C-alpha cells in the first residue's frame, strides 16, 4: 500500500473548456518534469470536462475522477451519471457525499453508502466525505455527527483499496477558516479508530482533510498524524497553488521523519 499523500482537486462547478484545458496542461507539464513518490494527484473536474482532462493528463502520474455518481448501473435516471460511465472515461476516483451535495441535493448517508458500493463495484475508489456544521460543533456534537455519518455512509464492502474518507468540517469549506491542527488531529484519530472497527486493515485507509487548504497551510496539515492527504476546492483552481500544495507533502514527510 502506497504511503504517498493523496492530493485531490475538487473543481466543483467551475471551468469552461479553455481555462480547464490550460489548467490541466500546466499540471501535466509539472508532473512530467517533477516526478514524485511523495504524492498522488487527482483532478475531479465537472462531468463535461472529465474526458478532456483525462486525455491531457493520461500520460502523466496524475489520476482523474468525478464529483458524484448514481447508485444504479443504468436506467431511467435523467441527468445522472453511473459509476461505470466514469470508469469508462478512465476515472480512478469519485467524490461522494460532499457536504454541498448533502445540503443542496438532500443526499442522505444511506444514499452515499449505496453510491459508494456502486463506485466500488465499477472499480472506482470512493472518496466519502463527512463533516459537521458550525452549529453542530458549537453544540459539542462534532464527534457524534461525524461518527454517525461514518457509520451510515461507509459500506461494509469498504477496503483501504476501494475507499478514501475525507473529513471536511462544513464551516471550513470555502470560508478561509481552517480547522486547528488539534481539531484535525483529534477528528482524524477518531475517524481512524471508528473506521478500523468497520474496515479490515483500517490502518491503511487514506484519510483526507478538506476545508480551505492552500499552499500556505498544506505542509502543516499534511504533517498531522492520520492525515494522508487533502481534498482541495478553491485552491485547486490555480495550477501553481495546487502544485504547491502537492509539493508540501514532501515537506510533511521531512517534518515527520
Ligand atoms: P475549499 O473546498 O478548499 O474551497 O474550502 C474544499 C471542498 O469543498 O472539498
Amino acid at each position: 500500500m502506497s504511503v504517498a499523500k493523496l492530493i485531490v482537486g475538487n473543481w466543483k462547478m467551475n471551468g469552461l473548456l479553455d481555462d480547464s484545458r490550460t489548467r490541466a496542461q500546466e499540471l501535466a507539464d509539472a508532473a512530467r518534469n517533477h516526478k514524485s513518490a511523495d504524492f498522488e494527484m487527482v483532478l475531479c473536474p465537472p462531468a463535461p470536462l472529465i474526458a478532456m482532462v483525462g486525455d491531457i493528463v493520461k500520460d502523466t502520474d496524475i489520476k482523474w475522477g468525478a464529483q458524484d455518481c448514481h447508485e444504479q448501473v443504468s436506467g431511467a435516471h435523467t441527468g445522472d451519471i453511473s459509476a461505470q460511465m466514469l470508469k469508462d472515461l478512465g476515472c480512478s476516483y469519485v467524490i461522494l457525499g460532499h457536504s454541498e451535495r448533502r445540503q443542496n441535493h438532500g443526499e442522505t448517508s444511506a444514499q452515499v453508502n449505496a453510491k459508494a458500493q456502486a463506485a466500488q463495484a465499477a472499480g472506482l475508489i470512493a472518496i466519502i466525505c463527512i463533516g459537521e456544521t458550525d452549529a453542530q460543533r458549537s453544540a459539542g456534537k462534532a464527534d457524534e455527527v461525524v461518527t454517525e455519518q461514518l457509520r451510515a455512509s461507509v459500506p461494509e464492502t469498504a477496503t483501504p483499496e476501494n475507499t478514501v474518507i475525507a473529513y471536511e468540517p462544513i464551516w471550513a469549506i470555502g470560508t478561509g477558516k481552517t480547522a486547528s491542527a488539534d481539531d484535525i488531529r483529534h477528528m482524524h484519530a477518531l475517524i481512524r479508530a471508528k473506521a478500523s472497527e468497520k474496515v479490515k486493515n483500517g490502518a491503511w485507509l487514506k484519510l483526507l482533510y478538506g476545508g480551505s487548504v492552500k499552499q500556505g497551510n498544506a505542509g502543516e496539515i499534511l504533517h498531522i498524524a492520520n492525515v494522508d492527504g487533502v481534498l482541495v476546492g478553491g485552491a485547486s483552481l490555480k495550477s501553481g497553488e495546487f502544485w504547491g500544495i502537492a509539493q508540501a507533502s514532501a515537506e510533511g514527510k521531512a517534518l515527520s521523519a
Side-chain angles (χ1 to χ4, degrees):
M1 177 68 62
S2 148
V3 291
K5 300 286 185 186
L6 190 57
I7 312 294
V8 184
N10 174 12
W11 292 5
K12 306 194 179 184
M13 196 174 74
N14 293 296
L16 297 175
L17 287 170
D18 274 356
D19 56 312
S20 303
R21 184 184 296 112
T22 304
R23 186 182 313 128
Q25 273 165 351
E26 285 169 357
L27 289 165
D29 287 345
R32 269 184 219 104
N33 293 332
H34 309 274
K35 285 198 173 290
S36 171
D38 291 321
F39 64 86
E40 176 172 299
M41 179 174 279
V42 182
L43 306 181
C44 297
L49 302 172
I50 292 174
M52 179 190 73
V53 168
D55 207 42
I56 292 170
V57 302
K58 67 175 190 275
D59 65 338
T60 74
D61 292 337
I62 299 176
K63 304 277 198 302
W64 61 99
Q67 301 171 14
D68 181 42
C69 72
H70 195 272
E71 64 263 35
Q72 302 290 325
V73 172
S74 62
H77 302 287
T78 303
D80 284 312
I81 300 171
S82 76
Q84 275 193 339
M85 292 171 185
L86 299 175
K87 182 69 180 172
D88 212 23
L89 285 174
C91 288
S92 300
Y93 291 84
V94 59
I95 299 169
L96 295 173
H98 189 282
S99 60
E100 286 152 15
R101 294 209 57 86
R102 291 180 189 259
Q103 283 179 336
N104 304 342
H105 297 268
E107 274 188 19
T108 63
S109 290
Q111 281 173 307
V112 175
N113 188 310
K115 289 178 176 203
Q117 290 183 55
Q120 293 162 354
L124 297 173
I125 300 173
I127 302 176
I128 300 175
C129 303
I130 53 178
E132 80 285 357
T133 63
D134 205 5
Q136 288 163 334
R137 175 160 284 267
S138 303
K141 292 195 178 322
D143 288 9
E144 195 184 312
V145 168
V146 166
T147 302
E148 173 52 22
Q149 283 185 342
L150 187 67
R151 186 198 63 73
S153 307
V154 177
E156 299 296 332
T157 45
T159 68
E161 288 77 26
N162 67 19
T163 304
V164 170
I165 294 168
Y167 169 58
E168 296 204 303
I170 294 170
W171 47 272
I173 295 178
T175 58
K177 286 192 230 164
T178 318
S180 72
D182 280 347
D183 287 342
I184 298 174
R185 189 177 298 108
H186 167 80
M187 198 57 95
H188 276 242
L190 177 76
I191 293 169
R192 174 79 67 206
K194 296 290 175 192
S196 296
E197 289 170 13
K198 185 161 186 169
V199 180
K200 200 169 160 228
N201 297 324
W204 288 103
L205 262 182
K206 287 216 157 143
L207 307 185
L208 311 184
Y209 169 79
S212 297
V213 175
K214 49 186 191 283
Q215 196 171 345
N217 60 22
E220 186 193 3
I221 292 170
L222 286 164
H223 167 59
I224 297 170
N226 289 309
V227 174
D228 305 302
V230 283
L231 180 53
V232 186
S236 73
L237 296 173
K238 295 174 224 134
S239 54
E241 172 92 14
F242 189 53
W243 187 257
I245 290 171
Q247 293 289 301
S249 49
E251 186 188 324
K253 191 169 119 184
L255 284 168
S256 58

